[in-house]
Amino acid sequence: MDQPVSVGRAGRSLGEAPGALAAVGGEALTARITLDEHGTVTGWNAGAEQLLGYGPGEMTGRRAADLLAEPIPVRGGMPALAGLPRWNGDVALRHRDGRKLTVRILAHHREPGTGPRAWLIVSALTGRQPRAGLDESLVSWSFAQSPCCALAIYDTRLRLRRANADMERSTALTEEEMLGLRVSEIIDDDAGERAERSMARVLRTGEPEYQENYLRAPGEEHAHAWSVFLSALRDHDGTVQGVCLSAHDMTEQFWARKRLQLIAEAGRRIGSTLDVTRTAQELADVTVPALADFGSVDLLEALDDVAEPPAHAVPADGPLRLRRVALRSVTPGAPESAVAPGQVDTYPPGSAPFESLRTGRPSLHEVSDPEFAAWLARDRVRAARVRAFGIHSVMTVPLAARGTTLGVAFFMRYRSAETFHHDDLVLAGELAARAAVSIDNARRYTRERATAVTLQRSLLPQRLPRQAAVEVASRYLPAGGRAGVGGDWFDVIPLSGARVALVVGDVVGHGLHASATMGRLRTAVRTLADIDLPCDELLTHLDDLVARLNKEDEEGEGEASGHPDTTGHRDTTGLRDTTGLRDTTGHPGTSTDVGATCLYAVYDPVSRSCCFAGAGHPVPAVVSPDGAVDLVGLPAAPPLGVGGLPYEATEIDIPEGSLLALYTNGLIENRDRDIDAGVHRLREALARPATSLDALCDTVLSDLLTRRPADDVALLIARTRALDSDHVATWAVPADPSAVAQTRKDVVAQLARWGLSDAVFVTELVVSELVTNAIRHAEPPIQLRLIHDTTLICEVSDGGNTAPHLRRARSYDEGGRGLLLVAQLTERWGTRQSATGKTIWAEQTMPLP
């Protein structure tokens, strides 16, 4: 058996012994001389002795310049020669017998790994004269037997004159069978027509041309990619006498390039969204038709609830249930698919997808394989599809990421005659692995978003409370999928005295943290509102709460990082934007501080006045009964958590039937529109007549939001009502205990006029207790007010600042039971402070008529 031959640096064959190589190469047929860097002879072979007559012993150690009959014709002289890596040319040398020889030499300037540089000089002693007939035969044989490419020669009529063995194999025709035919007649394909047109241009211009084509010869199982060069053949006068066609088989390089292109395309297209179904469809779209004629993605049914799949997602001995989430086919409508999109199918043990998921490895099958055929024999629907469309090969590739099994991808071929190969399986596995990570990212994002949405929905009011001060309608629209759930909220809080608080807030950022912070702030607002704090004081307390939350976060981060904050200062960067507290993209900033804006309004249906206070929040709009839309002028105030500036309240009178519109900045601001333009469109939308408040909310959203918003949107619209004198009775009470009896009589008479005789007994006791306490323990002026609304409210106001408190009286105490009695007889009671004193109130629930 022949040994492989590889050539080393000095020309020695590593596969042959030195002696055998010398015998084959004929050492004496080349003169070989080596010189050191100074021109001294260090080596002299038999060929050199034959050329110049000197033996090795005579020349070793001598200067090579002594052999020169004339100076070497080098431009720049010998110094220039010393700097060249190689030189060749004719040199005049002196033979030992004195005659002058002109010798053609090739000099290599060697740079060995170690030691000084040296020269190798060689000159052939034979080969300059052609050997009769042999050289031409060698040329002919090299053409016919060239193993590196397919060669063909065409005359000026584009008729084939010669073809080598590779060309015969590539066309499945012999040279004899192709003689006299044109390319388009040998290859009945568009590639033949293109080659012939290029050959005509080569004949006309003499310039070479290059083409690439993909062909399958008759009888071949696979097509080949060819790199085709077309060049002119010229005679000694330069006249074009024909065209040479050389074709190199680049199939492996072609498919390697196609695979790289497909992987690059997959990296660009797969995972462009955080939607599971869309990501799966991107995998199918990338692979069909580039890799397969049909592709589908089936995910485990256990993933439907976006929870973590069970540890053993693939049953050991039971059927596998997969839901088809995406598919793509070269045939419109994908009629070859046995499973419709969204449908769940069951795969038994032994089936291709079951085994692929069980082993965790991709698999390649031809439909004639015994295991695959056995599965088809048990599935009549799939077997019918295979026969109808001529499906001949299938790949099943598991989808898994981060140790989680997600599903399987199917790939089939039937229109393409080539079956899948191992390289296709490797490529499909690479694409599936990329897609699996994106699908898992989308699944995890969907799960987190669903959790955040659930949390946020649970923290928002499920239904607006029953109260008579305003009629309300609301809308909440979460941000688009990329932004995530945010911290916008709204609330309607019934207050004492038939008043109502309207609240809209916005926490900076998105995700679970923003939703949880929103819940904390909403709870704080309800708690502070329940003790009837004035608007500005409520925001001040809320600002302190946010500042404490920020400090807790900083201390927690300091402990986690090992570097606690010892300065006591908070970084408020990112909270200075009082218009919205976030950038126009709707994405949270890098600050970890809790930041929020809030608008708090209290409407009194008795006085028909409304108090507003804002903390960095967009100002509310008021629509008068005649349709005029105005913005409430509120003092500029920082967002919550910044601190340092007080909050101020603004109180205005509002006619009955007016509309109050409270909203978050996501409604009026986006990356395509500034705030002023958004406010202008909001005013136009609010001015339009609407059949109901719900219809008006829909109108506002449709006019201002042309697409899914990048930030959360909260909208609260309230229509004001008023309680006239027929529903309110007020008495000034003298600071004299004897006035209590007359007060009770006045109350009984008023209840009779309202038709509330059933409430007389309880109301008398409540009035008697509250008025008596005011006379005994408070300061004048004292006022009693009854409000007949959906409830019956009794209010006693005085000039004192000390609020009463409920306590349990001991058996020997003479007092202390009054408020306990009030608390037991009424639905709820409480106190509120005012600028001139306080008000104690108690509320009774009226029976339904």
Side-chain angles (χ1 to χ4, degrees), residues 607-629:
S607 64
R608 302 172 190 175
S609 64
C610 190
C611 176
F612 299 92
H617 199 84
V619 297
V622 177
V623 185
S624 63
D626 61 4
V629 181

Side-chain angles (χ1 to χ4, degrees), residues 87-108:
W87 183 84
N88 66 290
D90 292 339
V91 177
L93 300 177
R94 186 72 62 186
H95 193 273
R96 183 177 184 179
D97 60 11
R99 52 194 172 87
K100 176 180 175 183
L101 300 177
T102 301
V103 180
R104 176 160 295 175
I105 69 170
L106 175 61
H108 299 278

Side-chain angles (χ1 to χ4, degrees), residues 439-517:
I439 291 174
D440 190 54
N441 288 341
R443 182 184 64 84
R444 292 172 182 268
Y445 167 79
T446 302
R447 183 183 60 191
E448 180 179 341
R449 177 173 171 79
T451 303
V453 168
T454 301
L455 173 63
Q456 186 180 44
R457 294 295 188 186
S458 67
L459 296 175
L460 291 173
Q462 304 302 307
R463 63 181 64 86
L464 297 179
R466 182 185 176 194
Q467 43 76 43
V470 292
E471 175 193 358
V472 293
S474 63
R475 292 291 185 274
Y476 175 79
L477 190 62
R482 293 186 63 184
V485 177
D488 291 17
W489 92 92
F490 63 90
D491 214 342
V492 177
I493 308 172
L495 302 177
S496 62
R499 297 169 306 139
V500 65
L502 305 175
V503 191
V504 171
D506 185 358
V507 176
V508 67
H510 294 91
L512 287 173
H513 181 70
S515 296
T517 302

Side-chain angles (χ1 to χ4, degrees), residues 170-232:
S170 67
T171 59
L173 295 170
T174 65
E175 182 183 66
E176 184 67 25
E177 292 169 332
M178 293 186 288
L179 281 176
L181 297 178
R182 294 161 51 180
V183 177
S184 59
E185 296 167 342
I186 298 171
I187 302 175
D188 188 18
D189 187 90
D190 288 343
E193 297 284 349
R194 291 196 305 272
E196 198 165 80
R197 288 193 294 269
S198 295
M199 291 169 67
R201 285 193 294 270
V202 170
L203 286 176
R204 184 178 69 255
T205 65
E207 297 295 327
E209 294 213 4
Y210 173 77
Q211 289 184 352
E212 291 184 1
N213 57 52
Y214 192 67
L215 297 171
R216 184 169 67 92
E220 282 193 329
E221 184 180 355
H222 308 295
H224 291 262
W226 295 97
S227 175
V228 180
F229 292 88
L230 300 165
S231 57

Side-chain angles (χ1 to χ4, degrees), residues 3 56 94 128 423 446 490 534 582 658 705 725-726 775 787:
Q3 296 294 321
R94 186 72 62 186
R128 307 185 83 176
D423 288 345
T446 302
F490 63 90
R582 59 165 58 90
S658 299
L705 304 176
S725 57
D726 293 338
I775 292 173
I787 301 174

